[in-house]
Amino acid sequence: VKSVEAAGLTMLSYHCHSLHPAGVSCVGVLLESHISFHTWPDEGVITLDMFTTSSKPLLPALPEIERLFGVPRVNAETGEEEEPVSVWSHELRGFRTDEERRANVYDDNSDLSNWITSPLEVTKKQIVTVKTEIQQIDIWDASEREDLPSYEDGVRLGFGPDDPRWMQHEYASPTRLLFLDGALLAIADSDAEFHESLVHPGMFAHPSPKNVAILGGGDGATLREVLRHRSVEKVTMIEKDAKLVELARVHLPKMCNCSEIVGSTEVCFDDARVELVYQQPKDYFALNNLTDIDFLVLDGTVPETDREVPEHWFNDKKFVDAMIDSLSENGVLATQVGTAPTILDPRADLSVFRHRERFINSLEANPKIKSIFIYEEAHCGFYEPKAFLVACRDVTCRRHWYAETDEIDYAIYDRIGGLKDGKPSLVHYDGATQRSFQAPPRAWETVYCRREPEPFECAYRGLDKNAELFEF
């Protein structure tokens, strides 16, 4: 009854009966649908199912349900109370239009559902959920039952080489995840792999970036990577939602931590080189005649849907041109461009990647862009490899992009150096990583050559010795 009250629902009647040889089952009829639970006393298990046709979400009632049914059990051997373990899944049922499903962050097509609320095998804890005027921000801790302790877990807990706890799930730390409007933006455990791949290939394609602009990036991780470069004198971060920065300071401290960067501050947002602007990026560019940005990085979610999203910057050629115009003569633009393609993908402009394709088309059509590089990183923690793009206004950036491994390693040493404690600043990106970025996987060529009309150069794939030579 109290569970129903906690969910803001109405109990009409209920019936309970004892089971043989032990346990109890109860079923309640609600004005909005039903609730039922069953007990297994010997195993210390209670299962509960609550279904409602009400528009009221059930997730807010979860803490009270866990309190009511999560009765601590006394260990027969030690006599100590054991912390109850809660395993739950939240699903949306019923009939909804496609538009209604897209608008609901808990729909089973959303990242929030796929990573957190739907899977039973995920142990999860809600850190904060805030609905601002701009978006819904969700931060969760999560771990899967087969997760094992990381190297950092072992060091923190003092594991020895033969310690059996290395193979025990209960010593694995959960990872923290950030969702914006149900889309997964950042994973704390692998944020270095993602943000180093987003920032440093483009930064090192420029000989000495001094003036940097970040569109989005409210979690602070992109800013952290930019501030590692000693050449940087000014960073303008244009974030549309001030609440995201406020939450990052409290709940994502690792991602916005600059305390070990020489010359920076404890929190990256407080660095003297940083100017925080809380405004829609399009509005900011419309009001400011920018022409001297050395490095511009776009850090936000990428739409992967068959519906039109005209408000996203990928679909606004005028805004793409404005971003290119804001770059200095040898300026560089970098962004993530979503999930990497496969050789099975259809023509890009007819798929869920149509928004990325339009963005690339806009870059290709702008005469100020002299080189475009696309690369992938499979170690970002997402289900599939993430793709990134770097575009340059000066063709000389090709020399930096295709530099030898030791040249990149020396550039990192020369421009970034180490942390205050002497450890390396970067944990993922180095010369060998850049080498892997220099030639994109074949799927990009395959999908590119599915364009209509087929691009001229696609006729020259392979090693046809009889093909007419063309001096590109």
Side-chain angles (χ1 to χ4, degrees):
V1 173
K2 291 181 179 179
S3 298
V4 173
E5 292 174 351
L9 305 174
T10 305
M11 177 78 80
L12 298 179
S13 64
Y14 67 91
H15 173 74
C16 297
H17 70 93
S18 59
L19 301 174
H20 182 77
V24 175
S25 283
C26 290
V27 177
V29 178
L30 309 180
L31 179 63
E32 300 82 2
S33 192
H34 69 266
I35 181 174
S36 65
F37 72 84
H38 311 276
T39 68
W40 285 264
D42 291 343
E43 287 77 17
V45 173
I46 299 175
T47 63
L48 180 142
D49 172 61
M50 183 182 289
F51 187 93
T52 174
T53 58
S54 170
S55 59
K56 295 179 181 178
L58 294 178
L59 277 179
L62 186 61
E64 181 66 6
I65 292 173
E66 290 179 319
R67 186 189 70 81
L68 292 168
F69 288 91
V71 180
R73 194 180 191 190
V74 177
N75 187 301
E77 296 180 359
T78 65
E80 297 179 352
E81 284 191 350
E82 296 178 340
E83 187 71 22
V85 176
S86 175
V87 178
W88 58 269
S89 173
H90 176 278
E91 303 284 353
L92 289 185
R93 305 297 189 193
F95 306 97
R96 291 178 175 81
T97 65
D98 289 343
E99 196 61 35
E100 288 172 332
R101 293 188 63 185
R102 283 192 288 262
N104 196 315
V105 298
Y106 301 112
D107 182 78
D108 59 10
N109 285 324
S110 75
D111 291 337
L112 183 57
S113 173
N114 290 327
W115 285 74
I116 299 293
T117 60
S118 182
L120 278 169
E121 66 274 13
V122 173
T123 302
K124 50 251 185 176
K125 178 183 179 183
Q126 189 175 28
I127 303 303
V128 65
T129 294
V130 175
K131 183 78 171 178
T132 72
E133 294 180 356
I134 298 171
Q135 60 195 344
Q136 178 170 317
I137 304 169
D138 289 274
I139 300 177
W140 290 76
D141 280 349
S143 64
E144 296 191 15
R145 285 201 286 268
E146 63 268 23
D147 287 350
L148 296 176
S150 66
Y151 172 77
E152 286 77 13
D153 289 330
V155 171
R156 176 174 54 83
L157 298 172
F159 291 181
D162 299 320
D163 198 311
R165 292 176 293 176
W166 284 113
M167 302 303 294
Q168 296 177 19
H169 162 74
E170 55 265 34
Y171 297 102
S173 296
T175 188
R176 186 152 290 187
L177 301 100
L178 169 64
F179 300 85
L180 301 181
D181 283 336
L184 179 59
L185 183 69
I187 305 171
D189 277 1
S190 54
D191 102 84
E193 291 91 325
F194 179 88
H195 290 97
E196 288 185 15
S197 299
L198 171 64
V199 172
H200 299 301
M203 288 285 278
F204 282 108
H206 191 287
S208 181
K210 294 179 172 59
N211 187 13
V212 177
I214 302 171
L215 305 192
D219 54 49
T222 294
L223 177 61
R224 179 194 68 212
E225 296 307 317
V226 166
L227 291 174
R228 296 188 192 279
H229 290 251
R230 289 193 286 253
S231 63
V232 171
E233 298 174 356
K234 178 184 178 182
V235 184
T236 305
M237 191 178 116
I238 305 104
E239 167 57 53
K240 63 184 180 180
D241 197 342
K243 189 66 177 179
L244 178 55
V245 174
E246 178 186 327
L247 293 174
R249 287 177 178 271
V250 178
H251 301 293
L252 301 170
K254 176 185 173 184
M255 298 181 71
C256 57
N257 178 17
C258 284
S259 61
E260 289 300 317
I261 299 176
V262 177
S264 190
T265 53
E266 182 174 353
V267 179
C268 302
F269 302 120
D270 300 328
D271 192 296
R273 294 169 288 177
V274 177
E275 178 187 2
L276 292 176
V277 178
Y278 297 116
Q279 192 173 11
Q280 288 286 353
K282 289 185 182 182
D283 296 338
Y284 180 82
F285 272 72
L287 295 172
N288 295 272
N289 184 25
L290 306 172
T291 59
D292 60 348
I293 297 175
D294 296 320
F295 182 67
L296 174 62
V297 56
L298 317 183
D299 183 11
T301 56
V302 175
E304 294 180 356
T305 174
D306 57 358
R307 70 182 179 94
E308 292 302 318
V309 191
E311 67 276 9
H312 195 276
W313 49 50
F314 275 19
N315 295 312
D316 190 338
K317 186 178 185 302
K318 183 178 179 181
F319 182 55
V320 174
D321 289 341
M323 289 191 288
I324 295 170
D325 289 340
S326 74
L327 299 174
S328 59
E329 289 186 359
N330 56 355
V332 176
L333 180 150
T335 180
Q336 69 127 326
V337 288
T339 305
T342 74
I343 59 173
L344 303 177
D345 287 354
R347 229 172 74 189
D349 61 331
L350 300 179
S351 73
V352 295
F353 302 118
R354 63 184 64 191
H355 313 285
R356 172 170 72 199
E357 180 74 354
R358 287 176 191 157
F359 176 67
I360 295 174
N361 291 160
S362 296
L363 294 175
E364 292 171 333
N366 192 302
K368 294 181 179 178
I369 293 298
K370 303 303 182 184
S371 292
I372 299 175
F373 308 100
I374 290 178
Y375 56 103
E376 296 179 10
E377 179 52 72
H379 301 91
C380 298
F382 294 82
Y383 291 147
E384 297 178 87
K386 282 294 180 181
F388 302 86
L389 179 148
V390 165
C392 304
R393 281 196 59 170
D394 194 310
V395 72
T396 58
C397 83
R398 296 178 63 84
R399 189 231 172 274
H400 300 287
W401 186 264
Y402 292 111
E404 295 294 332
T405 299
D406 54 351
E407 290 182 275
I408 296 294
D409 287 335
Y410 180 78
I412 294 171
Y413 163 79
D414 185 53
R415 190 192 295 177
I416 292 181
L419 298 173
K420 291 178 181 178
D421 60 5
K423 295 180 180 178
S425 285
L426 306 184
V427 299
H428 178 70
Y429 180 78
D430 60 5
T433 305
Q434 178 63 28
R435 176 59 67 91
S436 72
F437 293 162
Q438 291 173 354
R442 186 168 181 175
W444 285 98
E445 177 188 90
T446 302
V447 174
Y448 173 78
C449 288
R450 286 182 179 145
R451 288 180 174 181
E452 293 184 9
E454 182 181 86
F456 167 80
E457 59 270 26
C458 292
Y460 288 83
R461 288 182 292 173
L463 294 173
D464 184 358
K465 296 181 180 180
N466 297 317
E468 182 180 352
L469 294 179
F470 178 78
E471 188 61 46
F472 186 78

